Amino acid sequence: MADADDVVLDDPVGESLRGRHAHLARRLGRAATYLAEVSTFSALPADPGPAEWADLARLLGRGELADMFSSPAAPPPDWEPVFVLEGLQMIWAGGGETGTGVVELGAEDVPEMLDLVARTRPGPFWPRTRELGAYVGIRDNGALVAMAGERLRPPGWTEISTVCTAPEARGRGYAARLIGALAARVTSRNERPFLHVAEANTQAIALYERLGFKTRRHVTFRGFRVP
């Protein structure tokens, strides 16, 4: 597999919006964000000034959430902080488990996917989030009990995200199987998997390390309310 430059992982949202996800982007000047039902993630250049923040405000609309992901840029003082979450960015170094018994999830599965996300809260997921990449799941007696998918797509990389299992189905190794299936899919394209996880979620971090992921850097996720 060809080596991929991990510098693009310093701005995974911006790199995705400029590249593989350009068809899902809204743009104004140097500000960019996803279509509303796809994702709330937004991106600005590394050195945004008042004009770039104003463009982002016009893109999003007054009172809307500017989810800046891991961007360190400081907004104008009248942008109200909504959340701050410390996390880790992890990259796949090889190994892990094979992903057997998983099914492909499509548009017809979105209601069940939204219900599972509502019960497990793995992170942001909207009616069109599945358009960011492939999503796979595991069913038990026909019911969707676990899923995971592809999210950000900077050049040479694919983020694995929305890893979740219904409370009644935990402890069966479903998350490992889903991640294994997605990792195989990503590497078959000569890309490398990566992911993000809350720093406090030590159980998930331990699982990811067992599956072959290692920490690349600490990140701080931040969101602001557009004035």
Side-chain angles (χ1 to χ4, degrees):
M1 181 177 62
D3 291 333
D5 188 354
D6 69 357
V7 173
V8 297
L9 298 183
D10 291 341
D11 180 22
V13 175
E15 293 284 355
S16 299
L17 285 167
R18 288 187 291 270
R20 297 295 296 274
H21 290 159
H23 65 293
L24 299 172
R26 294 178 286 161
R27 296 186 172 281
L28 186 59
R30 297 201 296 164
T33 188
Y34 282 94
L35 297 174
E37 290 196 328
V38 174
S39 174
T40 57
F41 298 150
S42 300
L44 290 173
D47 57 342
E52 284 74 31
W53 286 105
D55 284 344
L56 183 57
R58 284 192 287 270
L59 273 178
L60 296 172
R62 180 173 296 178
E64 295 301 318
L65 175 68
D67 189 334
M68 301 308 298
F69 204 71
S70 57
S71 170
D78 57 343
W79 288 56
E80 177 190 357
V82 176
F83 67 85
V84 176
L85 177 66
E86 303 302 324
L88 300 176
Q89 183 182 78
M90 306 182 75
I91 60 176
W92 190 70
E97 302 184 11
T98 57
T100 57
V102 304
V103 296
E104 198 89 14
L105 299 177
E108 68 279 4
D109 301 302
V110 168
E112 282 187 283
M113 297 166 78
L114 289 169
D115 177 71
L116 183 59
V117 166
R119 291 192 289 137
T120 57
R121 300 189 180 278
F125 189 89
W126 308 103
R128 294 181 59 189
T129 298
R130 58 164 291 277
E131 295 178 31
L132 295 172
Y135 277 77
V136 294
I138 293 176
R139 293 187 175 278
D140 183 17
N141 291 322
L144 182 66
V145 295
M147 75 172 191
E150 300 175 345
R151 192 167 66 176
L152 299 178
R153 301 285 300 278
W157 299 81
T158 294
E159 182 193 25
I160 293 176
S161 183
T162 323
V163 181
C164 57
T165 303
E168 69 274 14
R170 289 173 184 164
R172 304 178 188 173
Y174 288 166
R177 285 162 57 184
L178 291 167
I179 294 170
L182 288 172
R185 182 189 296 258
V186 173
T187 56
S188 73
R189 301 193 297 255
N190 289 327
E191 297 177 355
R192 288 183 63 185
F194 74 110
L195 54 80
H196 294 90
V197 60
E199 196 171 47
N201 194 348
T202 55
Q203 185 175 4
I205 293 170
L207 169 65
Y208 297 146
E209 289 176 338
R210 178 168 64 82
L211 295 177
F213 288 84
K214 64 179 183 180
T215 298
R216 175 179 180 262
R217 66 172 183 136
H218 173 270
V219 294
T220 300
F221 303 107
R222 299 180 305 146
F224 302 93
R225 188 72 59 194
V226 179

